[in-house]
Amino acid sequence: MDPAPQNPEIKLDDDDYPAYTMGRAAEILGTTPAFLRSLGEARLIEPQRSSGGHRRYSRYQLRLAARARELVDQGTALEAACRIIILEDQLQEALRINAELRRRD
């Protein structure tokens, strides 16, 4: 069951809201839909699906995809680029948690 509808302004500010179709996401990133599908196959990003089964991407996922494209354009293999991004993301989260714990002390 879907949660209660949100205020549209909240959705616009939500980095995890799946607002972009595959075509629009590819256009924004200057890449192809096939590149986005390859990121899904590599398990870097897993887009949500619309009720019709179409992939939908969030701003957060687009940032990850943009970083992947940057690394691939520099000659990094796709699988290695995805692993680098996952590790960068984990490091950012660990640093955020660490800073939060320090503020509590």
Side-chain angles (χ1 to χ4, degrees):
M1 182 172 203
D2 286 341
Q6 291 182 346
N7 176 338
E9 290 177 17
I10 293 171
K11 288 181 182 179
L12 291 174
D13 291 336
D14 183 357
D15 262 2
D16 295 317
Y17 182 73
Y20 302 95
T21 62
M22 176 179 277
R24 182 68 179 131
E27 180 183 327
I28 289 168
L29 297 170
T31 190
T32 63
F35 180 75
L36 291 173
R37 282 191 294 276
S38 70
L39 296 178
E41 291 167 8
R43 297 182 179 229
L44 177 63
I45 55 178
E46 188 173 332
Q48 291 189 23
R49 298 283 182 151
S50 68
S51 58
H54 300 282
R55 291 173 178 90
R56 305 285 295 194
Y57 296 89
S58 68
R59 288 188 304 189
Y60 172 73
Q61 290 171 324
L62 293 185
R63 282 196 301 274
L64 294 179
R67 178 72 175 127
R69 179 166 186 230
E70 176 184 326
L71 289 170
V72 169
D73 286 351
Q74 293 172 0
T76 306
L78 181 67
E79 291 291 331
C82 291
R83 184 68 182 140
I84 289 167
I85 294 164
I86 289 167
L87 291 170
E88 287 174 341
D89 200 47
Q90 289 172 344
L91 175 60
Q92 278 299 113
E93 180 64 10
L95 291 172
R96 184 194 66 74
I97 290 169
N98 196 11
E100 184 179 310
L101 292 172
R102 283 193 175 133
R103 281 193 298 271
R104 290 182 187 173
D105 290 342

